[in-house]
């Protein structure tokens, strides 16, 4: 009987400790979340297009193209299962560089399957053609949401600059 009592007591204590750890993200990042919400309400979206997808109807990103899209209209466009190569920079709303494909000794490409990325990134590249360069404002709901990822805090709106360089498997090799 004593063993059962201590087992139950241990289980209750572990549950309390675990639930307090799990619930702390919301409280710890409440101010950051509010700052990101306010930022979205005040950011100048002039020149940006709101992009949504039928497969993710509750998410949106804002895209601004820096190239003449008429010049890339006949270029390849990826599918969700395509492997793509892009050059990119990723910042938070304070302008802190989070990640980049540009290295100090030159630049390199980020190569990945489209549907193995966060929803907002997928939405952006699926609306691009090879050769397009864009700036993407991504609300945290289309990014990592309430989860932290590396140096990205929970509830972080993301600002990407992406150039779709190639879709290697769909391109014909040069002879």
């Amino acid at each position: 009987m004593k063993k059962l009592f201590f087992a139950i007591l241990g289980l209750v204590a572990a549950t309390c400790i675990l639930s307090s750890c799990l619930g702390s993200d919301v409280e710890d990042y409440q101010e950051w979340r509010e700052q990101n919400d306010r930022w979205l309400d005040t950011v100048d979206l002039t020149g940006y297009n709101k992009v949504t997808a039928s497969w993710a109807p509750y998410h949106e990103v804002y895209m601004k193209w820096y190239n003449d899209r008429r010049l890339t209209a006949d270029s390849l466009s990826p599918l969700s299962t395509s492997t793509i190569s892009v050059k990119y920079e990723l910042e938070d709303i304070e302008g802190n560089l989070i990640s980049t494909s540009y290295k100090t000794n030159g630049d390199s490409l980020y190569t990945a399957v489209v549907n193995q990325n966060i929803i907002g990134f997928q939405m952006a590249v699926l609306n691009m053609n090879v050769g397009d360069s864009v700036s993407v404002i991504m609300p945290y709901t289309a990014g990592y949401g309430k989860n932290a990822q590396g140096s990205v805090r929970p509830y972080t709106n993301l600002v990407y600059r992406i150039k779709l360089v190639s879709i290697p498997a769909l391109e014909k090799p040069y002879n």
Side-chain angles (χ1 to χ4, degrees):
M1 190 66 145
K2 233 181 198 183
K3 287 182 182 181
L4 180 61
F5 173 75
F6 284 115
I8 292 172
L9 184 63
L11 184 61
V12 169
T15 303
C16 290
I17 290 168
L18 183 60
S19 65
S20 68
C21 289
L22 293 175
S24 65
D25 275 354
V26 174
E27 295 166 11
D28 291 348
Y29 293 99
Q30 185 63 32
E31 187 176 319
W32 178 244
R33 180 181 186 174
E34 290 170 0
Q35 183 180 345
N36 277 265
D37 288 338
R38 284 190 306 273
W39 182 82
L40 268 180
D41 292 336
T42 60
V43 70
D44 181 11
L45 294 174
T46 303
Y48 284 83
N49 295 324
K50 181 178 178 179
V51 175
T52 58
S54 59
W55 50 268
Y58 301 108
H59 299 286
E60 62 207 22
V61 296
Y62 301 90
M63 297 179 65
K64 182 177 191 177
W65 278 261
Y66 290 105
N67 58 287
D68 184 344
R69 294 193 75 201
R70 294 174 294 186
L71 299 177
T72 60
D74 292 332
S75 297
L76 293 172
S77 183
L79 303 171
S80 65
T81 56
S82 298
T83 297
I84 57 166
S85 294
V86 300
K87 294 181 181 183
Y88 78 94
E89 288 183 328
L90 172 60
E91 296 177 347
D92 66 16
I93 64 170
E94 295 175 331
N96 298 316
L97 185 64
I98 296 170
S99 181
T100 182
S101 67
Y102 296 92
K103 307 296 179 196
T104 55
N105 58 352
D107 60 335
S108 61
L109 298 174
Y110 169 67
T111 301
V113 176
V114 174
N115 65 16
Q116 293 178 0
N117 288 277
I118 56 176
I119 291 172
F121 187 87
Q122 293 177 50
M123 292 169 68
V125 297
L126 290 174
N127 282 280
M128 297 174 69
N129 294 332
V130 171
D132 282 344
S133 293
V134 299
S135 179
V136 181
I137 295 174
M138 188 180 305
Y140 60 81
T141 55
Y144 296 107
K146 65 180 181 176
N147 302 311
Q149 177 67 31
S151 62
V152 179
R153 294 178 277 181
Y155 307 108
T156 299
N157 296 329
L158 304 172
V159 179
Y160 271 98
R161 282 179 292 289
I162 304 169
K163 178 175 178 98
L164 181 54
V165 176
S166 65
I167 308 170
L170 297 179
E171 296 176 356
K172 295 179 184 175
Y174 292 104
N175 293 326

